[in-house]
Short mmCIF file of all heavy atoms in Angstrom, two decimals:
data_model
loop_
_atom_site.label_atom_id
_atom_site.label_comp_id
_atom_site.label_asym_id
_atom_site.label_seq_id
_atom_site.Cartn_x
_atom_site.Cartn_y
_atom_site.Cartn_z
N MET R 1 14.47 -18.83 6.77
CA MET R 1 14.38 -19.02 5.34
C MET R 1 14.64 -17.72 4.58
O MET R 1 15.19 -17.73 3.51
CB MET R 1 13.00 -19.57 4.99
CG MET R 1 12.77 -19.73 3.52
SD MET R 1 11.21 -20.51 3.24
CE MET R 1 10.90 -20.02 1.60
N PHE R 2 14.23 -16.60 5.14
CA PHE R 2 14.33 -15.33 4.44
C PHE R 2 15.61 -14.57 4.76
O PHE R 2 15.78 -13.44 4.32
CB PHE R 2 13.11 -14.46 4.75
CG PHE R 2 11.83 -15.06 4.26
CD1 PHE R 2 10.91 -15.59 5.15
CD2 PHE R 2 11.55 -15.11 2.91
CE1 PHE R 2 9.73 -16.13 4.70
CE2 PHE R 2 10.38 -15.67 2.45
CZ PHE R 2 9.46 -16.18 3.34
N GLU R 3 16.51 -15.17 5.53
CA GLU R 3 17.72 -14.45 5.92
C GLU R 3 18.61 -14.09 4.74
O GLU R 3 19.40 -13.15 4.81
CB GLU R 3 18.51 -15.23 6.97
CG GLU R 3 18.95 -16.61 6.55
CD GLU R 3 17.91 -17.69 6.81
OE1 GLU R 3 16.88 -17.44 7.42
OE2 GLU R 3 18.16 -18.81 6.35
N ARG R 4 18.48 -14.80 3.64
CA ARG R 4 19.28 -14.49 2.45
C ARG R 4 18.66 -13.38 1.61
O ARG R 4 19.28 -12.87 0.69
CB ARG R 4 19.45 -15.73 1.58
CG ARG R 4 20.29 -16.80 2.24
CD ARG R 4 20.50 -17.95 1.31
NE ARG R 4 21.29 -18.98 1.95
CZ ARG R 4 21.63 -20.09 1.38
NH1 ARG R 4 21.26 -20.34 0.15
NH2 ARG R 4 22.35 -20.98 2.02
N PHE R 5 17.42 -13.02 1.90
CA PHE R 5 16.72 -11.98 1.14
C PHE R 5 17.19 -10.61 1.60
O PHE R 5 17.53 -10.41 2.77
CB PHE R 5 15.21 -12.06 1.38
CG PHE R 5 14.52 -13.20 0.68
CD1 PHE R 5 15.15 -14.41 0.42
CD2 PHE R 5 13.20 -13.07 0.29
CE1 PHE R 5 14.49 -15.45 -0.21
CE2 PHE R 5 12.53 -14.10 -0.34
CZ PHE R 5 13.18 -15.28 -0.59
N THR R 6 17.16 -9.66 0.70
CA THR R 6 17.42 -8.27 1.09
C THR R 6 16.22 -7.76 1.88
O THR R 6 15.15 -8.36 1.88
CB THR R 6 17.62 -7.37 -0.14
OG1 THR R 6 16.40 -7.33 -0.88
CG2 THR R 6 18.76 -7.86 -1.02
N ASP R 7 16.40 -6.63 2.54
CA ASP R 7 15.29 -6.04 3.29
C ASP R 7 14.12 -5.73 2.36
O ASP R 7 12.96 -5.95 2.72
CB ASP R 7 15.74 -4.76 4.00
CG ASP R 7 16.66 -5.04 5.18
OD1 ASP R 7 16.65 -6.19 5.69
OD2 ASP R 7 17.38 -4.12 5.59
N LYS R 8 14.41 -5.23 1.17
CA LYS R 8 13.34 -4.92 0.21
C LYS R 8 12.61 -6.18 -0.23
O LYS R 8 11.39 -6.18 -0.37
CB LYS R 8 13.90 -4.17 -1.00
CG LYS R 8 14.31 -2.76 -0.69
CD LYS R 8 14.81 -2.05 -1.94
CE LYS R 8 15.23 -0.64 -1.60
NZ LYS R 8 15.64 0.10 -2.79
N ALA R 9 13.34 -7.24 -0.45
CA ALA R 9 12.71 -8.50 -0.86
C ALA R 9 11.84 -9.05 0.27
O ALA R 9 10.72 -9.52 0.02
CB ALA R 9 13.76 -9.52 -1.26
N ARG R 10 12.31 -8.96 1.50
CA ARG R 10 11.49 -9.42 2.63
C ARG R 10 10.23 -8.59 2.74
O ARG R 10 9.14 -9.12 2.97
CB ARG R 10 12.29 -9.34 3.94
CG ARG R 10 13.21 -10.52 4.14
CD ARG R 10 13.77 -10.55 5.56
NE ARG R 10 14.68 -9.47 5.84
CZ ARG R 10 16.00 -9.53 5.68
NH1 ARG R 10 16.56 -10.64 5.27
NH2 ARG R 10 16.76 -8.50 5.96
N ARG R 11 10.36 -7.28 2.55
CA ARG R 11 9.18 -6.40 2.62
C ARG R 11 8.18 -6.77 1.53
O ARG R 11 6.98 -6.81 1.78
CB ARG R 11 9.60 -4.94 2.48
CG ARG R 11 8.43 -3.99 2.46
CD ARG R 11 8.83 -2.55 2.68
NE ARG R 11 7.79 -1.62 2.36
CZ ARG R 11 6.66 -1.45 3.05
NH1 ARG R 11 6.44 -2.18 4.10
NH2 ARG R 11 5.76 -0.57 2.68
N THR R 12 8.66 -7.08 0.34
CA THR R 12 7.78 -7.47 -0.75
C THR R 12 7.03 -8.75 -0.41
O THR R 12 5.83 -8.87 -0.67
CB THR R 12 8.58 -7.64 -2.06
OG1 THR R 12 9.16 -6.37 -2.40
CG2 THR R 12 7.69 -8.10 -3.19
N VAL R 13 7.72 -9.71 0.19
CA VAL R 13 7.07 -10.97 0.58
C VAL R 13 6.01 -10.71 1.66
O VAL R 13 4.91 -11.27 1.60
CB VAL R 13 8.10 -12.00 1.06
CG1 VAL R 13 7.43 -13.22 1.66
CG2 VAL R 13 9.01 -12.41 -0.09
N VAL R 14 6.31 -9.85 2.62
CA VAL R 14 5.33 -9.52 3.65
C VAL R 14 4.12 -8.86 3.03
O VAL R 14 2.97 -9.19 3.36
CB VAL R 14 5.97 -8.62 4.74
CG1 VAL R 14 4.92 -8.03 5.66
CG2 VAL R 14 6.98 -9.41 5.54
N LEU R 15 4.34 -7.93 2.11
CA LEU R 15 3.22 -7.27 1.43
C LEU R 15 2.41 -8.27 0.61
O LEU R 15 1.18 -8.20 0.56
CB LEU R 15 3.73 -6.13 0.55
CG LEU R 15 4.29 -4.92 1.30
CD1 LEU R 15 5.01 -3.98 0.35
CD2 LEU R 15 3.18 -4.19 2.04
N ALA R 16 3.09 -9.21 -0.04
CA ALA R 16 2.40 -10.25 -0.81
C ALA R 16 1.52 -11.08 0.12
O ALA R 16 0.37 -11.40 -0.21
CB ALA R 16 3.41 -11.14 -1.53
N GLN R 17 2.04 -11.43 1.28
CA GLN R 17 1.27 -12.21 2.26
C GLN R 17 0.06 -11.41 2.72
O GLN R 17 -1.05 -11.96 2.83
CB GLN R 17 2.17 -12.56 3.44
CG GLN R 17 1.51 -13.44 4.47
CD GLN R 17 2.48 -13.79 5.59
OE1 GLN R 17 3.37 -13.02 5.93
NE2 GLN R 17 2.30 -14.96 6.16
N GLU R 18 0.22 -10.13 2.97
CA GLU R 18 -0.90 -9.28 3.40
C GLU R 18 -1.96 -9.21 2.30
O GLU R 18 -3.16 -9.25 2.58
CB GLU R 18 -0.40 -7.89 3.76
CG GLU R 18 0.41 -7.86 5.04
CD GLU R 18 1.05 -6.51 5.32
OE1 GLU R 18 0.84 -5.55 4.53
OE2 GLU R 18 1.77 -6.41 6.33
N ASN R 19 -1.52 -9.09 1.05
CA ASN R 19 -2.47 -9.06 -0.06
C ASN R 19 -3.22 -10.38 -0.19
O ASN R 19 -4.43 -10.40 -0.43
CB ASN R 19 -1.75 -8.74 -1.38
CG ASN R 19 -1.47 -7.28 -1.53
OD1 ASN R 19 -2.37 -6.48 -1.67
ND2 ASN R 19 -0.20 -6.91 -1.46
N SER R 20 -2.53 -11.47 -0.01
CA SER R 20 -3.15 -12.78 -0.07
C SER R 20 -4.23 -12.90 1.01
O SER R 20 -5.35 -13.36 0.73
CB SER R 20 -2.10 -13.87 0.10
OG SER R 20 -2.71 -15.14 0.12
N ARG R 21 -3.91 -12.50 2.21
CA ARG R 21 -4.89 -12.56 3.30
C ARG R 21 -6.08 -11.65 3.03
O ARG R 21 -7.22 -12.02 3.28
CB ARG R 21 -4.23 -12.17 4.62
CG ARG R 21 -3.32 -13.22 5.16
CD ARG R 21 -2.77 -12.81 6.51
NE ARG R 21 -1.81 -13.81 6.98
CZ ARG R 21 -0.74 -13.53 7.68
NH1 ARG R 21 -0.45 -12.28 8.01
NH2 ARG R 21 0.07 -14.49 8.07
N ALA R 22 -5.80 -10.43 2.54
CA ALA R 22 -6.88 -9.48 2.25
C ALA R 22 -7.84 -10.01 1.19
O ALA R 22 -9.03 -9.72 1.23
CB ALA R 22 -6.29 -8.14 1.80
N LEU R 23 -7.30 -10.80 0.27
CA LEU R 23 -8.13 -11.39 -0.78
C LEU R 23 -8.69 -12.75 -0.36
O LEU R 23 -9.27 -13.46 -1.18
CB LEU R 23 -7.31 -11.52 -2.06
CG LEU R 23 -6.90 -10.18 -2.69
CD1 LEU R 23 -5.86 -10.39 -3.78
CD2 LEU R 23 -8.12 -9.47 -3.24
N LYS R 24 -8.49 -13.09 0.92
CA LYS R 24 -8.98 -14.35 1.49
C LYS R 24 -8.46 -15.59 0.76
O LYS R 24 -9.17 -16.56 0.56
CB LYS R 24 -10.51 -14.35 1.53
CG LYS R 24 -11.06 -13.25 2.43
CD LYS R 24 -12.54 -13.28 2.53
CE LYS R 24 -13.15 -12.30 3.47
NZ LYS R 24 -12.60 -11.04 3.69
N ASN R 25 -7.19 -15.52 0.36
CA ASN R 25 -6.52 -16.67 -0.24
C ASN R 25 -5.65 -17.33 0.81
O ASN R 25 -5.15 -16.67 1.72
CB ASN R 25 -5.65 -16.24 -1.42
CG ASN R 25 -6.43 -15.59 -2.54
OD1 ASN R 25 -6.02 -14.59 -3.08
ND2 ASN R 25 -7.57 -16.14 -2.89
N ASN R 26 -5.46 -18.63 0.69
CA ASN R 26 -4.61 -19.35 1.65
C ASN R 26 -3.27 -19.73 1.02
O ASN R 26 -2.65 -20.70 1.41
CB ASN R 26 -5.33 -20.57 2.21
CG ASN R 26 -5.74 -21.55 1.13
OD1 ASN R 26 -5.51 -21.29 -0.05
ND2 ASN R 26 -6.32 -22.66 1.51
N PHE R 27 -2.85 -18.95 0.04
CA PHE R 27 -1.59 -19.18 -0.66
C PHE R 27 -1.07 -17.84 -1.16
O PHE R 27 -1.82 -16.87 -1.23
CB PHE R 27 -1.79 -20.14 -1.84
CG PHE R 27 -2.81 -19.64 -2.83
CD1 PHE R 27 -2.44 -18.84 -3.90
CD2 PHE R 27 -4.16 -19.94 -2.66
CE1 PHE R 27 -3.38 -18.36 -4.80
CE2 PHE R 27 -5.10 -19.47 -3.56
CZ PHE R 27 -4.71 -18.68 -4.63
N ILE R 28 0.20 -17.80 -1.50
CA ILE R 28 0.79 -16.60 -2.12
C ILE R 28 1.15 -16.98 -3.55
O ILE R 28 1.98 -17.86 -3.78
CB ILE R 28 2.03 -16.12 -1.36
CG1 ILE R 28 1.65 -15.71 0.06
CG2 ILE R 28 2.69 -14.95 -2.09
CD1 ILE R 28 2.83 -15.33 0.92
N SER R 29 0.53 -16.31 -4.48
CA SER R 29 0.78 -16.57 -5.90
C SER R 29 1.72 -15.50 -6.45
O SER R 29 1.98 -14.48 -5.80
CB SER R 29 -0.54 -16.53 -6.67
OG SER R 29 -1.01 -15.19 -6.77
N PRO R 30 2.20 -15.70 -7.67
CA PRO R 30 3.00 -14.65 -8.30
C PRO R 30 2.24 -13.32 -8.39
O PRO R 30 2.83 -12.25 -8.30
CB PRO R 30 3.30 -15.21 -9.69
CG PRO R 30 3.29 -16.69 -9.49
CD PRO R 30 2.19 -16.92 -8.48
N ALA R 31 0.93 -13.39 -8.53
CA ALA R 31 0.12 -12.17 -8.59
C ALA R 31 0.17 -11.42 -7.26
O ALA R 31 0.23 -10.18 -7.24
CB ALA R 31 -1.32 -12.51 -8.94
N HIS R 32 0.18 -12.14 -6.15
CA HIS R 32 0.29 -11.49 -4.84
C HIS R 32 1.66 -10.83 -4.69
O HIS R 32 1.78 -9.74 -4.12
CB HIS R 32 0.07 -12.50 -3.71
CG HIS R 32 -1.29 -13.10 -3.70
ND1 HIS R 32 -1.48 -14.44 -3.90
CD2 HIS R 32 -2.52 -12.56 -3.53
CE1 HIS R 32 -2.78 -14.70 -3.84
NE2 HIS R 32 -3.44 -13.57 -3.63
N ILE R 33 2.68 -11.48 -5.20
CA ILE R 33 4.02 -10.88 -5.16
C ILE R 33 4.07 -9.63 -6.03
O ILE R 33 4.65 -8.61 -5.63
CB ILE R 33 5.09 -11.91 -5.58
CG1 ILE R 33 5.13 -13.05 -4.54
CG2 ILE R 33 6.47 -11.26 -5.73
CD1 ILE R 33 5.97 -14.23 -4.93
N LEU R 34 3.43 -9.69 -7.19
CA LEU R 34 3.35 -8.50 -8.04
C LEU R 34 2.68 -7.36 -7.31
O LEU R 34 3.14 -6.21 -7.36
CB LEU R 34 2.59 -8.84 -9.33
CG LEU R 34 2.38 -7.72 -10.32
CD1 LEU R 34 3.71 -7.18 -10.83
CD2 LEU R 34 1.54 -8.21 -11.49
N LEU R 35 1.60 -7.65 -6.60
CA LEU R 35 0.94 -6.62 -5.80
C LEU R 35 1.88 -6.07 -4.73
O LEU R 35 1.90 -4.86 -4.49
CB LEU R 35 -0.33 -7.18 -5.14
CG LEU R 35 -1.50 -7.43 -6.07
CD1 LEU R 35 -2.60 -8.21 -5.35
CD2 LEU R 35 -2.05 -6.12 -6.61
N GLY R 36 2.66 -6.94 -4.11
CA GLY R 36 3.63 -6.49 -3.12
C GLY R 36 4.67 -5.57 -3.71
O GLY R 36 5.03 -4.56 -3.12
N VAL R 37 5.14 -5.90 -4.90
CA VAL R 37 6.12 -5.04 -5.58
C VAL R 37 5.50 -3.68 -5.87
O VAL R 37 6.13 -2.64 -5.68
CB VAL R 37 6.62 -5.71 -6.89
CG1 VAL R 37 7.42 -4.73 -7.73
CG2 VAL R 37 7.44 -6.95 -6.57
N LEU R 38 4.25 -3.68 -6.33
CA LEU R 38 3.59 -2.43 -6.67
C LEU R 38 3.29 -1.57 -5.44
O LEU R 38 3.14 -0.35 -5.57
CB LEU R 38 2.30 -2.71 -7.44
CG LEU R 38 2.50 -3.14 -8.89
CD1 LEU R 38 1.23 -3.72 -9.46
CD2 LEU R 38 2.98 -1.97 -9.73
N GLN R 39 3.19 -2.17 -4.29
CA GLN R 39 2.92 -1.41 -3.07
C GLN R 39 4.16 -0.77 -2.48
O GLN R 39 4.06 0.21 -1.75
CB GLN R 39 2.30 -2.32 -2.00
CG GLN R 39 0.83 -2.47 -2.13
CD GLN R 39 0.31 -3.33 -1.02
OE1 GLN R 39 0.50 -4.54 -1.05
NE2 GLN R 39 -0.31 -2.73 -0.04
N ASP R 40 5.30 -1.33 -2.75
CA ASP R 40 6.55 -0.84 -2.15
C ASP R 40 7.05 0.36 -2.94
O ASP R 40 7.60 0.21 -4.01
CB ASP R 40 7.59 -1.96 -2.12
CG ASP R 40 8.83 -1.57 -1.38
OD1 ASP R 40 8.89 -0.45 -0.84
OD2 ASP R 40 9.76 -2.38 -1.33
N GLY R 41 6.85 1.54 -2.41
CA GLY R 41 7.22 2.76 -3.11
C GLY R 41 8.71 2.96 -3.30
O GLY R 41 9.12 3.86 -4.02
N GLU R 42 9.54 2.15 -2.67
CA GLU R 42 10.99 2.30 -2.79
C GLU R 42 11.61 1.16 -3.58
O GLU R 42 12.73 0.76 -3.33
CB GLU R 42 11.60 2.36 -1.39
CG GLU R 42 11.11 3.52 -0.57
CD GLU R 42 11.72 3.54 0.80
OE1 GLU R 42 12.74 2.86 1.03
OE2 GLU R 42 11.19 4.24 1.66
N ASN R 43 10.89 0.66 -4.54
CA ASN R 43 11.32 -0.51 -5.27
C ASN R 43 11.49 -0.17 -6.75
O ASN R 43 10.59 0.39 -7.36
CB ASN R 43 10.24 -1.60 -5.09
CG ASN R 43 10.63 -2.93 -5.62
OD1 ASN R 43 11.19 -3.03 -6.70
ND2 ASN R 43 10.31 -3.96 -4.89
N ASN R 44 12.63 -0.49 -7.32
CA ASN R 44 12.86 -0.21 -8.75
C ASN R 44 11.88 -0.98 -9.62
O ASN R 44 11.47 -0.50 -10.67
CB ASN R 44 14.29 -0.56 -9.15
CG ASN R 44 15.30 0.37 -8.53
OD1 ASN R 44 14.98 1.50 -8.17
ND2 ASN R 44 16.53 -0.10 -8.40
N GLY R 45 11.50 -2.16 -9.18
CA GLY R 45 10.54 -2.96 -9.92
C GLY R 45 9.20 -2.26 -9.99
O GLY R 45 8.53 -2.25 -11.02
N GLU R 46 8.81 -1.63 -8.89
CA GLU R 46 7.54 -0.90 -8.84
C GLU R 46 7.57 0.24 -9.85
O GLU R 46 6.61 0.45 -10.59
CB GLU R 46 7.30 -0.38 -7.42
CG GLU R 46 5.97 0.32 -7.25
CD GLU R 46 6.05 1.83 -7.29
OE1 GLU R 46 7.16 2.38 -7.23
OE2 GLU R 46 4.98 2.44 -7.39
N GLN R 47 8.66 0.96 -9.91
CA GLN R 47 8.77 2.07 -10.84
C GLN R 47 8.68 1.60 -12.29
O GLN R 47 8.00 2.22 -13.11
CB GLN R 47 10.09 2.82 -10.61
CG GLN R 47 10.15 3.50 -9.26
CD GLN R 47 11.53 4.03 -8.93
OE1 GLN R 47 12.45 3.95 -9.73
NE2 GLN R 47 11.68 4.58 -7.74
N ALA R 48 9.30 0.49 -12.60
CA ALA R 48 9.25 -0.06 -13.96
C ALA R 48 7.84 -0.52 -14.31
O ALA R 48 7.37 -0.28 -15.44
CB ALA R 48 10.24 -1.22 -14.10
N LEU R 49 7.17 -1.16 -13.37
CA LEU R 49 5.81 -1.64 -13.62
C LEU R 49 4.84 -0.47 -13.83
O LEU R 49 3.98 -0.52 -14.71
CB LEU R 49 5.34 -2.54 -12.48
CG LEU R 49 6.06 -3.88 -12.38
CD1 LEU R 49 5.73 -4.57 -11.06
CD2 LEU R 49 5.73 -4.77 -13.55
N VAL R 50 4.99 0.58 -13.04
CA VAL R 50 4.13 1.75 -13.20
C VAL R 50 4.39 2.41 -14.55
O VAL R 50 3.45 2.81 -15.24
CB VAL R 50 4.35 2.75 -12.03
CG1 VAL R 50 3.68 4.08 -12.32
CG2 VAL R 50 3.80 2.16 -10.74
N GLN R 51 5.64 2.48 -14.96
CA GLN R 51 5.95 3.05 -16.28
C GLN R 51 5.34 2.22 -17.41
O GLN R 51 5.02 2.73 -18.46
CB GLN R 51 7.45 3.18 -16.48
CG GLN R 51 8.06 4.29 -15.66
CD GLN R 51 9.58 4.37 -15.84
OE1 GLN R 51 10.20 3.52 -16.46
NE2 GLN R 51 10.16 5.41 -15.27
N ALA R 52 5.17 0.91 -17.15
CA ALA R 52 4.55 0.03 -18.14
C ALA R 52 3.03 0.10 -18.08
O ALA R 52 2.35 -0.57 -18.87
CB ALA R 52 5.02 -1.41 -17.92
N GLY R 53 2.49 0.89 -17.16
CA GLY R 53 1.05 1.08 -17.10
C GLY R 53 0.33 0.27 -16.04
O GLY R 53 -0.90 0.30 -15.97
N LEU R 54 1.06 -0.44 -15.20
CA LEU R 54 0.42 -1.23 -14.15
C LEU R 54 0.34 -0.41 -12.87
O LEU R 54 1.27 0.32 -12.53
CB LEU R 54 1.22 -2.50 -13.87
CG LEU R 54 1.29 -3.51 -15.00
CD1 LEU R 54 2.20 -4.66 -14.62
CD2 LEU R 54 -0.09 -4.02 -15.35
N THR R 55 -0.76 -0.54 -12.18
CA THR R 55 -0.92 0.08 -10.87
C THR R 55 -1.40 -0.99 -9.90
O THR R 55 -1.92 -2.03 -10.31
CB THR R 55 -1.94 1.23 -10.88
OG1 THR R 55 -3.23 0.68 -11.15
CG2 THR R 55 -1.58 2.30 -11.89
N HIS R 56 -1.24 -0.70 -8.62
CA HIS R 56 -1.71 -1.65 -7.61
C HIS R 56 -3.21 -1.87 -7.78
O HIS R 56 -3.70 -3.00 -7.70
CB HIS R 56 -1.40 -1.12 -6.21
CG HIS R 56 -1.80 -2.06 -5.13
ND1 HIS R 56 -2.98 -1.95 -4.46
CD2 HIS R 56 -1.17 -3.15 -4.61
CE1 HIS R 56 -3.08 -2.92 -3.58
NE2 HIS R 56 -1.99 -3.66 -3.65
N GLU R 57 -3.95 -0.81 -8.06
CA GLU R 57 -5.40 -0.91 -8.16
C GLU R 57 -5.84 -1.79 -9.33
O GLU R 57 -6.71 -2.65 -9.16
CB GLU R 57 -6.02 0.49 -8.30
CG GLU R 57 -5.89 1.34 -7.05
CD GLU R 57 -4.50 1.95 -6.89
OE1 GLU R 57 -3.76 2.10 -7.89
OE2 GLU R 57 -4.15 2.25 -5.74
N ASN R 58 -5.25 -1.59 -10.52
CA ASN R 58 -5.72 -2.40 -11.65
C ASN R 58 -5.25 -3.85 -11.56
O ASN R 58 -5.97 -4.75 -11.95
CB ASN R 58 -5.43 -1.77 -13.02
CG ASN R 58 -3.97 -1.59 -13.35
OD1 ASN R 58 -3.10 -2.22 -12.77
ND2 ASN R 58 -3.70 -0.70 -14.30
N VAL R 59 -4.09 -4.08 -11.00
CA VAL R 59 -3.63 -5.47 -10.82
C VAL R 59 -4.49 -6.16 -9.75
O VAL R 59 -4.89 -7.32 -9.91
CB VAL R 59 -2.13 -5.55 -10.46
CG1 VAL R 59 -1.73 -6.95 -10.07
CG2 VAL R 59 -1.30 -5.04 -11.62
N LYS R 60 -4.83 -5.44 -8.68
CA LYS R 60 -5.67 -6.01 -7.63
C LYS R 60 -7.03 -6.40 -8.20
O LYS R 60 -7.56 -7.46 -7.88
CB LYS R 60 -5.84 -5.03 -6.47
CG LYS R 60 -6.60 -5.63 -5.32
CD LYS R 60 -6.66 -4.67 -4.15
CE LYS R 60 -7.47 -5.29 -3.02
NZ LYS R 60 -7.63 -4.37 -1.91
N ALA R 61 -7.59 -5.57 -9.06
CA ALA R 61 -8.89 -5.89 -9.68
C ALA R 61 -8.79 -7.16 -10.50
O ALA R 61 -9.70 -8.00 -10.49
CB ALA R 61 -9.35 -4.72 -10.54
N ILE R 62 -7.69 -7.32 -11.21
CA ILE R 62 -7.50 -8.55 -12.02
C ILE R 62 -7.36 -9.76 -11.10
O ILE R 62 -7.98 -10.79 -11.34
CB ILE R 62 -6.26 -8.40 -12.92
CG1 ILE R 62 -6.51 -7.33 -13.99
CG2 ILE R 62 -5.89 -9.74 -13.56
CD1 ILE R 62 -5.27 -6.89 -14.73
N VAL R 63 -6.57 -9.63 -10.05
CA VAL R 63 -6.36 -10.75 -9.12
C VAL R 63 -7.67 -11.13 -8.44
O VAL R 63 -7.98 -12.31 -8.30
CB VAL R 63 -5.28 -10.39 -8.07
CG1 VAL R 63 -5.17 -11.46 -7.00
CG2 VAL R 63 -3.94 -10.20 -8.75
N GLU R 64 -8.47 -10.14 -8.06
CA GLU R 64 -9.75 -10.43 -7.43
C GLU R 64 -10.66 -11.22 -8.37
O GLU R 64 -11.40 -12.09 -7.95
CB GLU R 64 -10.44 -9.14 -7.01
CG GLU R 64 -9.81 -8.52 -5.79
CD GLU R 64 -10.40 -7.15 -5.44
OE1 GLU R 64 -10.97 -6.48 -6.33
OE2 GLU R 64 -10.27 -6.74 -4.28
N GLY R 65 -10.57 -10.94 -9.65
CA GLY R 65 -11.38 -11.65 -10.64
C GLY R 65 -10.92 -13.08 -10.87
O GLY R 65 -11.71 -13.96 -11.21
N VAL R 66 -9.63 -13.33 -10.68
CA VAL R 66 -9.07 -14.66 -10.94
C VAL R 66 -9.19 -15.55 -9.71
O VAL R 66 -9.53 -16.73 -9.82
CB VAL R 66 -7.58 -14.54 -11.35
CG1 VAL R 66 -6.93 -15.92 -11.46
CG2 VAL R 66 -7.47 -13.79 -12.67
N TYR R 67 -8.90 -15.01 -8.54
CA TYR R 67 -8.89 -15.81 -7.32
C TYR R 67 -10.14 -15.53 -6.54
O TYR R 67 -10.34 -15.66 -5.46
CB TYR R 67 -7.63 -15.55 -6.49
CG TYR R 67 -6.36 -15.92 -7.21
CD1 TYR R 67 -5.48 -14.95 -7.65
CD2 TYR R 67 -6.04 -17.25 -7.45
CE1 TYR R 67 -4.31 -15.29 -8.30
CE2 TYR R 67 -4.86 -17.59 -8.11
CZ TYR R 67 -4.02 -16.60 -8.53
OH TYR R 67 -2.87 -16.93 -9.17
#
């Protein structure tokens, strides 16, 4: 299923899955994907989100409060 994804996109999905498991969720939500993007230090999306004031830590705190 992921063969059409770039290596960076696959890494983001893996990180999202790891975040979902760490938060004891049995699903991957857009918030988990956002956390995956923020964790990948080689991602243009991560750089843009950090410039907008988002960090992995503050997004994780929000996700923990919601899920």
